[in-house]
Amino acid sequence: MNLKRAPGVLARPALLAPLLTALLAASPAEAQTTPAPTATPTTTPATPQERRVRSAAPLSAAEQAALQALVSRVRPATVRVEQCRATQCDDPDGLGSGVLISADGLILTAYHVIRGAPDLSVQLLNKTRYPAQVIGYNDQDDLALLRVNVPRGTPFLPLAAARPAVGETALAIGNGGGAFLTPKTGRLLGLDSDPGRADFPPGTLEMNAPLIPGDSGGPVVNVKGEVTGIVSYIRMTPGNQPRSYAVPVTTTDARVAALKRGEKRDAPVIGIGLDGVFSGLFYLPSAGFQELTKLLKLGETPGAFFTSVSRGSPAAQAGLKPLVLNGDSQRVSGDIVTAVNGKRIVNFAEFQYAVRAYQPGDTVTLSVLRDGKPLEVKLTLVGRSKLSN
């Protein structure tokens, strides 16, 4: 638990539990499937009704058979991505999935699968392991491109010529749960889905394939055997049903072209976190803040509070103060951010979105309440990869 507390005084989780349970009840559970802006459509946009459905018919026997027939063709072009040296990988620091998209060993994966890894390797279907080099990455859209010196003739998959349509079938292959290149099937439920969090990629494909951590970075393939997306994150619905999301890719995708040119695009951050028992309160509305402040004494003005500050980050250098509680779970100190460059915010999610509207190197002004008194804090954003872990 990363919640900071006053020295020598422990907060009492039992006092927080009932209220936090009530506040979290209406919030969706989301997670990037860790080993743990929007694409331009290539076709005419569909109507809103065509871009999203609440449910979809189960796959028919014929549809299942068509997807299963693809497995033997698709599986040899997918890989297991591991955070380790190719010569020393008995216990990798993390694992995910990826897909070969060219004869010369280019591999698309999710950026969060490889973020912060000092060494990377990939395993092919024949279990041979090769060192991997990062060619480019896009933190905002959770995409990364690797290069591996694979043998001539190693299978690869083409990117799709056009975006898919709602209702189409989909085949995904990945290493979920530590399994090895396992196929899973489903149906596309939506296009351009909004994750509700600034640190997850926008404009994703939504599907009901039962993906789990370890499947991240793997391909979503259409019935032609073309890659239509790269698996990024999962969400649990109120009925505890998984929904899987993938970053759409096509042959004309400008983001993929930028990766091939070696672009390494960081997301802008200031170095704060919302952790521990509060980690689900990203979307806390003004009314929820008013309920929480009755116990924690956060003040009367809703805003974004945070529970951690990264060492050496812009937030640390600017002197921002994380939430500190006393033994009665009441605030001893902790800043409440109410605006970014004048844009009003009321919770941590809005704070993230406001920051992500800028670029690393930009300077922003935060409107902050500290002990009930307003102040302005200027800081310069940095790329997420620049922060120490």
Side-chain angles (χ1 to χ4, degrees), residues 12 20 74 211 388:
R12 299 173 184 173
L20 291 178
V74 172
L211 305 184
S388 58

Side-chain angles (χ1 to χ4, degrees), residues 73-291:
R73 171 184 165 192
V74 172
R75 198 164 176 253
T78 57
V79 301
R80 180 183 177 105
V81 180
E82 300 167 311
Q83 293 188 5
C84 59
R85 293 183 180 179
T87 56
Q88 189 179 359
C89 203
D90 293 333
D91 186 21
D93 292 333
L95 67 87
S97 309
V99 58
L100 283 152
I101 62 169
S102 70
D104 59 349
L106 290 180
I107 293 173
L108 264 181
T109 186
Y111 175 59
H112 76 268
V113 168
I114 60 102
R115 184 169 72 91
D119 298 289
L120 290 168
S121 64
V122 301
Q123 233 180 327
L124 303 187
L125 180 61
N126 62 8
K127 298 295 183 75
T128 305
R129 188 177 280 116
Y130 299 90
Q133 174 191 3
V134 178
I135 299 299
Y137 63 79
N138 182 330
D139 191 2
Q140 291 276 32
D141 289 300
D142 197 27
L143 289 173
L145 188 68
L146 312 179
R147 186 183 294 280
V148 175
N149 291 324
V150 294
R152 179 176 297 182
T154 299
F156 67 92
L157 297 179
L159 300 185
R163 292 276 296 270
V166 170
E168 287 186 8
T169 59
L171 169 68
I173 293 186
N175 301 284
F180 188 69
L181 302 182
T182 302
K184 296 174 182 177
T185 59
R187 195 182 296 279
L188 290 178
L189 304 179
L191 310 176
D192 299 324
S193 295
D194 180 4
R197 283 180 55 165
D199 54 342
F200 286 4
T204 51
L205 306 177
E206 180 180 355
M207 55 194 166
N208 58 7
L211 305 184
I212 58 177
D215 288 322
S216 278
V220 177
V221 180
N222 62 21
V223 291
K224 298 177 181 178
E226 300 171 328
V227 179
T228 62
I230 299 296
V231 175
S232 178
Y233 66 98
I234 59 174
R235 171 187 287 154
M236 301 304 294
T237 67
N240 206 35
Q241 295 297 313
R243 289 291 183 268
S244 307
Y245 298 81
V247 179
V249 291
T250 64
T251 55
T252 58
D253 197 310
R255 299 166 306 176
V256 176
L259 296 179
K260 291 179 178 179
R261 294 194 302 268
E263 179 181 87
K264 295 181 178 179
R265 181 184 178 191
D266 271 331
V269 295
I270 67 172
I272 60 170
L274 190 63
D275 313 305
V277 295
F278 297 102
S279 61
L281 299 183
F282 274 74
Y283 325 92
L284 189 68
S286 296
F289 184 95
Q290 299 293 355
E291 289 298 314

